[in-house]
C-alpha cells in the first residue's frame, strides 16, 4: 500500500503598493491535521473566505481559526485537500457516539447522521455545496440508497446530501474540496414521503 504523504504548495497572490500582481506566499499549507488518529484522514486546510462576495485585499492574510472546522464560515467558502487512507475494520465498528465524536473533533458534531441503519458509520450532512475533485486514487461516495466509485480526474458536486466517503481501494486517495456555505430549500427540509 502506498501510504506516503506528498507535499504540495499553496501559492497566494496579492498586490504591491503600485497595484502590481505579486506572490504573497509560496509554501505548503500551514494547517494540517490528522483526524481520528492513525488510519484516519489527513486534512490540509488551504484557505477560506469569510463572506460572499469575498473581499479582495492587496496583501491577503489567511483568516485565523482555532482548530479544524468542517464547514465553511457562514456566507463563506473553504478549500481543503484530504488524504483518505484505505478504510480499515475500525471504521466499520464505529458506533453513532464514536462517529459524533469524530465530527466533533472537526468542529461540527451535528453533521453526523450515523445510526444503526446507516449504510456507513461516518454518514454526515452539511448545509453546503461541495465541489470534490479526485486528484489521485479512488474513493466510494456512499449515499442513503446508492454508491458511486469516483476515480482520479472525476468531479463530484455534492448538494447538501447525506453521505460518507469510503476508501476501499487499498491505496491513499487524495481529493480537493471547495465548500460553499448554503441553505436548504423547503423541498429539502420537508421532503414528500
Amino acid at each position: 500500500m502506498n501510504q506516503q504523504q506528498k507535499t504540495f504548495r499553496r501559492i497566494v497572490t496579492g498586490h504591491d503598493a503600485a497595484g502590481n500582481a505579486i506572490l504573497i506566499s509560496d509554501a505548503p499549507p500551514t494547517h494540517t491535521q490528522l483526524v481520528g488518529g492513525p488510519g484516519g484522514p489527513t486534512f490540509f486546510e488551504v484557505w477560506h473566505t469569510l463572506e460572499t462576495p469575498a473581499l479582495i485585499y492587496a496583501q491577503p492574510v489567511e483568516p485565523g481559526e482555532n482548530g479544524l472546522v468542517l464547514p465553511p464560515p457562514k456566507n463563506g467558502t473553504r478549500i481543503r485537500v484530504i488524504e483518505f487512507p484505505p478504510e480499515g475494520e475500525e471504521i466499520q465498528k464505529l458506533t453513532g457516539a464514536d462517529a459524533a465524536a469524530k465530527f466533533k473533533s472537526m468542529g461540527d458534531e451535528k453533521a453526523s447522521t450515523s445510526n444503526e441503519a446507516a449504510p456507513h458509520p461516518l454518514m454526515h450532512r452539511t448545509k453546503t455545496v461541495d465541489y470534490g475533485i479526485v486528484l489521485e486514487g479512488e474513493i466510494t461516495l456512499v449515499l442513503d440508497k446508492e454508491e458511486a466509485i469516483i476515480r482520479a480526474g472525476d468531479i463530484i458536486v455534492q448538494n447538501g446530501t447525506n453521505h460518507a466517503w469510503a476508501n476501499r481501494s487499498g491505496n491513499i486517495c487524495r481529493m480537493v474540496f471547495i465548500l460553499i456555505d448554503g441553505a436548504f430549500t423547503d423541498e429539502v427540509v420537508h421532503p414528500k414521503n
Side-chain angles (χ1 to χ4, degrees):
M1 283 190 266
N2 178 11
Q3 300 293 329
Q4 186 174 358
Q5 281 184 352
K6 294 181 186 176
T7 58
F8 62 93
R9 297 161 43 207
R10 179 190 69 179
I11 299 157
V12 179
T13 65
H15 301 86
D16 65 15
N20 296 304
I22 61 170
L23 293 177
I24 300 295
S25 67
D26 182 347
T30 57
H31 183 65
T32 301
Q33 185 170 331
L34 175 65
V35 175
T42 301
F43 283 61
F44 300 86
E45 298 299 278
V46 178
W47 198 263
H48 66 274
T49 62
L50 301 175
E51 64 277 312
T52 302
L55 297 177
I56 300 171
Y57 295 95
Q59 299 282 313
V61 178
E62 183 174 13
E65 279 185 331
N66 293 328
L68 181 65
V69 181
L70 188 64
K74 183 72 176 157
N75 298 319
T77 66
R78 181 176 309 283
I79 182 170
R80 69 168 44 109
V81 173
I82 303 178
E83 285 187 352
F84 294 94
E87 190 172 289
E89 287 183 26
E90 68 278 357
I91 297 294
Q92 292 304 320
K93 294 178 182 177
L94 291 175
T95 65
D98 295 335
K102 288 197 180 295
F103 284 99
K104 184 175 184 178
S105 76
M106 293 182 263
D108 198 0
E109 181 178 14
K110 66 181 187 279
S112 179
T113 59
S114 184
N115 61 55
E116 288 182 20
H120 191 277
L122 292 175
M123 295 296 286
H124 63 286
R125 184 177 187 191
T126 56
K127 290 182 184 178
T128 58
V129 173
D130 305 338
Y131 304 138
I133 305 160
V134 177
L135 300 175
E136 63 183 79
E138 73 175 44
I139 198 157
T140 301
L141 171 62
V142 181
L143 300 172
D144 290 328
K145 300 290 183 185
E146 53 191 324
E147 297 183 351
I149 296 174
I150 315 299
R151 294 183 176 86
D154 292 342
I155 300 171
I156 302 99
V157 179
Q158 201 283 111
N159 288 295
T161 55
N162 194 36
H163 70 286
W165 302 103
N167 184 348
R168 301 170 182 155
S169 72
N171 294 303
I172 291 272
C173 177
R174 178 181 272 199
M175 294 182 69
V176 62
F177 290 92
I178 297 99
L179 300 93
I180 303 164
D181 184 43
F184 293 134
T185 61
D186 284 343
E187 67 185 351
V188 173
V189 175
H190 306 288
K192 298 175 184 175
N193 291 328

